[in-house]
């Protein structure tokens, strides 16, 4: 079983995460002037520091990160797993998608409160293929897509 996301946050510094965060997501800030871009990156640094002292809530959910290829391009998918199998979905069609029957359904975590994110265990496959710094860069981006603070995410 993987480590909790909160444990990863406690073991890594923003200085270690920032270069990867900029590598993966810096292009979203290119339209801004350098001064504003710097200010936005500082906001993520502040959020990262908030996560270090934030409360984590126990959960059975797990966070999974995977690199996916779609139409010739790679993208990173951050999703949550709770043990639900595709076959358990009301609209699952064995005739069309039988090979997925015993696979877990990945769920979006975008609207999940940060305290629950922090309590999630990181899927073992994620720990094998991504460094702690990469995991945190991707999770931070996903966590902050609609929320700018711990209070916003509740």
């Amino acid at each position: 079983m993987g480590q909790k996301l909160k444990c990863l946050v406690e073991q890594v510094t923003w200085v270690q995460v920032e270069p990867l965060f900029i590598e993966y997501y810096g292009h979203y800030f290119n339209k801004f002037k350098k001064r504003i871009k710097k200010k936005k990156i500082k906001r993520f640094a502040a959020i990262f520091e908030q996560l270090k002292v934030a409360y984590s809530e126990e959960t059975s959910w797990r966070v999974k990160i995977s690199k996916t290829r779609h139409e010739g391009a790679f993208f990173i998918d951050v999703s949550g797993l709770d043990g639900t199998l595709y076959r358990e979905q009301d609209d699952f069609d064995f005739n069309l998608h039988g090979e997925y029957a015993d696979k877990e359904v990945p769920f979006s975590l975008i609207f999940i409160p940060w305290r629950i994110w922090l309590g999630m265990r990181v899927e073992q496959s994620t720990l094998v293929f991504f460094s702690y710094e990469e995991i945190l860069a991707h999770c931070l981006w996903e966590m902050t897509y609609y929320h700018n603070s711990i209070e916003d995410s509740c």
Side-chain angles (χ1 to χ4, degrees):
M1 192 67 118
Q3 292 190 53
K4 287 187 179 182
L5 191 64
K6 175 72 174 183
C7 292
L8 271 63
V9 170
E10 291 170 343
Q11 294 178 48
V12 176
T13 66
W14 174 251
V15 171
Q16 295 169 292
V17 174
E18 183 180 22
L20 290 164
F21 185 81
I22 291 170
E23 176 185 332
Y24 286 109
Y25 303 105
H27 62 279
Y28 290 103
F29 307 113
N30 287 343
K31 64 184 175 185
F32 299 107
K33 292 179 182 174
K34 192 174 184 177
R35 178 180 54 82
I36 295 172
K37 182 177 177 178
K38 206 172 191 178
K39 197 175 195 179
K40 289 189 174 290
I41 297 296
K42 279 186 180 180
R43 181 179 67 86
F44 285 101
I47 289 169
F48 187 82
E49 294 307 317
Q50 285 179 24
L51 296 177
K52 285 189 171 290
V53 297
Y55 167 75
S56 66
E57 187 173 307
E58 199 64 38
T59 182
S60 61
W61 280 68
R62 299 170 335 273
V63 64
K64 180 179 181 176
I65 301 174
S66 52
K67 190 174 187 179
T68 308
R69 189 180 189 122
H70 181 70
E71 296 180 1
F74 285 102
F75 70 93
I76 298 296
D77 179 54
V78 179
S79 56
L81 303 172
D82 72 348
T84 302
L85 303 178
Y86 276 102
R87 71 160 82 210
E88 299 168 343
Q89 300 297 297
D90 292 336
D91 60 350
F92 183 75
D93 186 337
F94 276 95
N95 294 324
L96 291 175
H97 306 291
E99 71 273 15
Y100 293 103
D102 293 320
K103 293 186 179 186
E104 282 189 80
V105 178
F107 294 98
S108 172
L109 296 173
I110 273 187
F111 294 110
I112 299 296
W114 292 358
R115 68 182 186 283
I116 296 174
W117 273 85
L118 292 170
M120 287 184 198
R121 295 206 175 271
V122 179
E123 191 67 5
Q124 192 61 40
S125 62
T126 299
L127 291 167
V128 168
F129 292 109
F130 296 92
S131 68
Y132 287 5
E133 295 83 1
E134 287 175 300
I135 293 167
L136 293 171
H138 296 308
C139 287
L140 184 62
W141 181 256
E142 197 82 6
M143 293 168 82
T144 58
Y145 200 80
Y146 288 112
H147 307 294
N148 292 311
S149 70
I150 290 172
E151 295 78 26
D152 284 351
S153 78
C154 295

